[in-house]
Amino acid sequence: ADIKYALTPGLTMTATINPDFGQVEADPAVVNLTAFETFYQERRPFFVEGSGNFAFDLDCSDGRCTGLFYSRRIGRQPHGSPDVPDDGYSSVPAQTTILGAAKLTGRAGPFSIGGLSAFTASEDAHVASGTQRQQQTVEPFSAFTVLQAKREWRNQSSLGFMFTNTARRLTDDVRFLPGSATTGGVSWDWRRKDARYA
């Protein structure tokens, strides 16, 4: 189910329950032999629409900015892997189920606003060895929250802040993950009247 509601002429609330992104174009095949995460372009309609309200650019020196919020972590492949006996096998979900998400995007006077909250389900791997069958949690129930507000002036100067939080309900199988992670930042762009300097 997808819901869209205009709170004011400039602010829109969008929500989705148990979204299906089966129509979205698949990512290209990548072999990552490093210890670092591969960053893919967001293609899911719910997260693409209004994504400019969540932009908080960092590390722009190479021409490609990264930010505080990477939406592809919501519904990603589970972090954990099950303990499988030598004579056993396992079945692990390919991605985490998004239970629901809601966002508020748009403008309220001189402010541009972005707020998002999303919840993902706990995911279990099925492990079988001989006649033994068991389940092991590979991804805990998680909640993601993002808030951003930016004040803009006529000369294109701006002052903004961003706050992100991830909270997980940990079990013994996934204690290697942090229970919560919070980031925040302040950004400003000050422009002179003659527009030659910023």
Side-chain angles (χ1 to χ4, degrees), residues 9 21 30 33 51 67 79 82 103 123 144 147 168-169 181:
F21 297 118
V30 174
L33 301 177
S51 60
H79 283 89
K103 67 180 178 179
E123 297 290 349
F144 302 85
L147 295 171
R168 298 182 178 98
R169 190 181 298 158

Side-chain angles (χ1 to χ4, degrees), residues 47-58:
F47 296 102
V48 170
E49 187 178 274
S51 60
N53 290 297
F54 300 102
F56 193 91
D57 293 338
L58 302 169

Side-chain angles (χ1 to χ4, degrees), residues 27-94:
D27 294 316
V30 174
V31 177
N32 184 351
L33 301 177
T34 71
F36 303 102
E37 181 177 7
T38 301
F39 289 88
Y40 296 101
Q41 182 181 356
E42 181 60 84
R43 293 186 172 101
R44 299 172 294 180
F46 177 84
F47 296 102
V48 170
E49 187 178 274
S51 60
N53 290 297
F54 300 102
F56 193 91
D57 293 338
L58 302 169
D59 191 22
C60 296
S61 58
D62 63 354
R64 185 175 173 199
C65 297
T66 57
L68 287 181
F69 172 58
Y70 178 51
S71 61
R72 289 294 298 265
R73 289 192 180 122
I74 301 173
R76 60 162 285 155
Q77 180 180 359
H79 283 89
S81 56
D83 295 326
V84 183
D86 292 338
D87 62 341
Y89 62 91
S90 67
S91 172
V92 182

Side-chain angles (χ1 to χ4, degrees), residues 54-180:
F54 300 102
F56 193 91
D57 293 338
L58 302 169
D59 191 22
C60 296
S61 58
D62 63 354
R64 185 175 173 199
C65 297
T66 57
L68 287 181
F69 172 58
Y70 178 51
S71 61
R72 289 294 298 265
R73 289 192 180 122
I74 301 173
R76 60 162 285 155
Q77 180 180 359
H79 283 89
S81 56
D83 295 326
V84 183
D86 292 338
D87 62 341
Y89 62 91
S90 67
S91 172
V92 182
Q95 67 265 341
T96 307
T97 302
I98 301 174
L99 298 174
K103 67 180 178 179
L104 179 68
T105 55
R107 295 188 64 85
F111 293 91
S112 61
I113 297 171
L116 182 140
S117 186
F119 301 92
T120 58
S122 174
E123 297 290 349
D124 294 330
H126 300 277
V127 180
S129 175
T131 59
Q132 299 278 335
R133 302 266 191 276
Q134 65 174 348
Q135 291 183 340
Q136 295 178 22
T137 302
V138 289
E139 185 72 23
F141 174 85
S142 303
F144 302 85
T145 305
V146 183
L147 295 171
Q148 175 164 303
K150 185 184 285 186
R151 168 71 158 93
E152 297 170 344
W153 284 270
R154 289 182 186 174
N155 67 344
Q156 297 180 343
S157 294
S158 64
L159 173 66
F161 78 90
M162 186 173 210
F163 165 83
T164 72
N165 177 263
T166 300
R168 298 182 178 98
R169 190 181 298 158
L170 298 181
T171 63
D172 290 337
D173 293 333
V174 287
R175 287 284 175 203
F176 62 90
L177 290 172
S180 68

